[in-house]
Amino acid sequence: PFIKRITQQNKEIHLQIEQIKAQKDRLYTISENMNEGLIVLDSNSLILAANSSALKLFRVIESDVIRKKFICLTRNLDLTKFVKSALKGNNGRGTILINNSTYELFYSPVFENNSVCGAILLFFDISEKAKAERIRREFSASVSHELKTPITTILGYSQMINNGMAKEEDIKSFTGKIEKEATRLIALIEDIIKLSNLDEQDKITAADDVSLMETAKAVITSLENQIKVKGIKVKIGGKDTSVKGNKS
């Protein structure tokens, strides 16, 4: 009976080991196929595990970082602050810059018997999103400047006319410039609407024959004020040609 009991226990232990190994293999397969970087730390901030995405993110190999202090992986002060917060029992998220790429970090403590026994760090690459947001901000600043120029011109000439500062013979010239700037303002607003539509559709729906010569002339005309302010000489050369595309 004693030998039978030992044999049965050995079978049960072997089965448990197989189950643990299968579970470990599943977790390994999942973590290694993640695009996100995953790092597991113990309560002393020693690195217990790091998937291939995390190793690639910090440009290290597994043998150099496993069972090493997290500070050996990176000296990033923001990231170190987030790790300390996680080991104090706090959940959170933050944005950090690593090797010229922008990542969103989610950090979370791991509890055992109501005590923090480690932390999990999850890194999402949001570089493209951050770049798009930066381009949007630059575009908004540029649009604000482009809209301000014709509005300032219209306001200036209209005030001169209303205050009686304009000579009779100059009023027609002033109203002509006001009309020109108003037309330019409308064109800018239409361009913004078109760009907004393109952003939503994510494709150009119409392709026409576009004259590059006419387009170049139109651009120079729209930049006439800036050219004068900067004292730049601009001229167009070459022969006209057309391409298939969207004029705006």
Side-chain angles (χ1 to χ4, degrees), residues 136-149:
R136 283 182 182 276
R137 286 197 301 268
E138 291 172 356
F139 173 74
S140 297
S142 178
V143 166
S144 299
H145 176 75
E146 289 296 319
L147 291 174
K148 185 179 178 181
T149 303

Side-chain angles (χ1 to χ4, degrees), residues 69-129:
K69 282 280 189 178
F70 183 77
I71 198 170
C72 296
L73 185 66
T74 177
R75 299 271 178 169
N76 188 298
L77 294 177
D78 290 330
L79 187 49
T80 303
K81 181 181 69 176
F82 293 142
V83 169
K84 288 180 179 178
S85 180
L87 292 176
K88 287 179 181 178
N90 301 314
N91 292 290
R93 59 193 290 184
T95 303
I96 55 173
L97 188 67
I98 303 174
N99 296 326
N100 297 320
S101 295
T102 306
Y103 291 86
E104 187 170 15
L105 168 66
F106 290 83
Y107 56 92
S108 178
V110 177
F111 291 94
E112 186 177 11
N113 298 325
N114 296 323
S115 298
V116 177
C117 64
I120 294 175
L121 310 177
L122 195 58
F123 299 84
F124 290 84
D125 190 346
I126 58 169
S127 299
E128 289 300 318
K129 181 182 176 182

Side-chain angles (χ1 to χ4, degrees), residues 46-82:
L46 292 178
I47 300 172
L48 301 179
N51 69 353
S52 57
S53 294
L55 297 173
K56 191 183 298 181
L57 190 163
F58 291 100
R59 300 174 183 174
V60 294
I61 58 175
E62 188 175 22
S63 58
D64 288 343
V65 296
I66 297 300
R67 305 301 303 177
K68 300 284 181 65
K69 282 280 189 178
F70 183 77
I71 198 170
C72 296
L73 185 66
T74 177
R75 299 271 178 169
N76 188 298
L77 294 177
D78 290 330
L79 187 49
T80 303
K81 181 181 69 176
F82 293 142

Side-chain angles (χ1 to χ4, degrees), residues 200-214:
E200 291 175 2
Q201 296 172 5
D202 200 28
K203 62 181 179 179
I204 296 174
T205 54
D208 302 315
D209 288 321
V210 181
S211 166
L212 296 184
M213 180 67 77
E214 290 179 6

